[in-house]
Amino acid sequence: MLIEQVGLHVLQMPLKQPFTTSFGTETIRELILVSLTADGVTGWGEVVTMAEPLYNYETTKTAWHILEDFLVPMVLGKSFAHPDEMARAWDHIRGHYMAKAGLNNAFWDAWARAQNLPLARALGGTKERIGVGVSVGIQDSVAATLKTVESYLVQGYQRIKVKIRPGWDETLLRALRREFGPIPLMADANSAYSLSDSALFERMDDLGLMMIEQPLAEDDIIDHAGLQARLQTPICLDESILTPEDARKALELGACRIINVKVGRIGGHSPMRRLHDICVERGIPLWCGGMLESGVGRAHNIALTSLAGYTLPGDTSASDRYFDEDIVTPAAQLLPGGFLAVPDGPGIGVTVLEDRVARFTLQTRTYHT
Ligand code: OSB
Ligand code: MG
C-alpha cells in the first residue's frame, strides 16, 4: 500500500477524575492522534505519550519531533506490503517507541480496513470478547479508595489494580483484603521502590496478590530478578520492557513471571506480535496495560487483547471510566461479567467522530506526498 498522507493531531481530553500514580497526577489526557491514508483508505493510531516525561522519557513534543522529522518522511510516498515492513524501515531509529507505535498502528488499521478485516483478526486474535479490570489511582484516603473499588466491583470489573507508593501500600492492601476478601487484586508501584524495600514486599506475600507490577526502576531487570527470587507473588514488568528482546532477557534472568504489554510502550502491533509469541512459547501470561487512551487507542488495545496469549484481565476499562465524551462511536462499553466486545467491523471497528476530535485538538498538521 502506498502511504499518501499522514496527519498528526495533538488533543487534550479532560479526564472525569484526576488519575494519581507514584509519579504524578493527570487531570487532562494529552495525546497525539495519527491518521494515515494508504491507497485511499484511512486508518487511525494513537501516540500515548504524556505532556511530561514521568512514566517514560517521551513527551508529546518529543514524539511530534521524532514523527515529523524522521518517521513520517521515512514512510510518506513509500509503498509497504505489510505493516511489519514499515516497522522494519525504522529499526535503526533508536527508542521513541510511543512515536513509532502511533504510526505503525495507524497503518495496521488502514491495512486491515483495506482487506475488510477486523484488526483483531488481522493481528491473529481469536476471542470475541475480552475480560477486563480497572486501575485505581492513589486517592486521598483508604475509605475513599474502598468506596471507589466497591463501585467498580459492582459494575463487574474482573480484577482490581491499585497504584501504590511508599507510605501508600501495605495498609491500603490489607484494608482492601479485609473489606472485599479474595477478589482478584494486584498493585502497581510504577518504579517507586528499591531493593532495600524487600522486607515490605516479603511481608506482603501473604496478601495473595495476583502480582506486583514494576516495583523497581525501569532500567533495572537485575534487581527485579533479585526481588522475584525472594517472593512467592509474581512480579509483572511494565516500564522495563520496551522491546521483544527485553522480554526475552527479563524472562531468562527471572526478573518477572508476567508481562504487562502496552502496545504504545513497545512500538506498535508489529513488535507486539513478536513479544506475544516469545512469551507464549515460554508459558508466560500476558495482559494488556493502558495509558488512559482515547477511544482510538482503546480500540487498538481491545483488538490486541483478542490474541490467545492475553490470558489475564487487563487495564482496558470502558470509556466511561475515563471520559464524559469519547472521540469514537460506539464507545467501549462494559458488558455483564466484566467483558468488552471485540468489534467485528473492518480495522479498529469504531468510527472516529471528527467533530469531537476537532473540539479537543490543540495543534494539527497534515503531510502529503
Ligand atoms: O503504569 O499502568 C501504568 C496510566 C498511566 C500511566 C501508567 C499506567 C497507567 C495505568 C492506567 O495504570 C491504565 C488505564 O486505565 O489506562
Ligand atoms: Mg504500570
Side-chain angles (χ1 to χ4, degrees), residues 167-236:
W168 181 262
D169 42 43
E170 191 182 357
T171 308
L172 170 70
L173 289 161
R174 293 205 185 279
L176 287 163
R177 273 286 178 248
R178 213 173 306 121
E179 185 78 10
F180 302 112
I183 58 165
L185 179 67
M186 59 174 288
D188 183 3
N190 287 107
S191 298
Y193 297 86
S194 68
L195 206 51
S196 63
D197 296 305
S198 294
L200 168 74
F201 293 111
E202 284 173 51
R203 265 202 320 277
M204 290 186 351
D205 241 354
D206 72 349
L207 278 162
L209 299 178
M210 297 170 79
M211 69 196 90
I212 295 174
E213 183 177 343
Q214 196 69 40
L216 311 179
E218 65 167 309
D219 60 353
D220 198 347
I221 57 173
I222 301 284
D223 281 356
H224 275 108
L227 181 61
Q228 181 66 89
R230 296 174 184 221
L231 301 181
Q232 298 291 315
T233 308
I235 288 178
C236 168

Side-chain angles (χ1 to χ4, degrees), residues 55 161 163 188 190 213 238-239 260 262:
Y55 166 79
K161 155 171 147 182
K163 293 290 189 177
D188 183 3
N190 287 107
E213 183 177 343
D238 172 356
E239 284 90 325
N260 160 342
K262 290 181 181 166

Side-chain angles (χ1 to χ4, degrees), residues 2-5 76-78 367-369:
L2 176 70
I3 313 295
E4 296 151 341
Q5 186 175 308
L76 203 58
K78 303 270 168 39
Y367 309 83
H368 301 273
T369 43

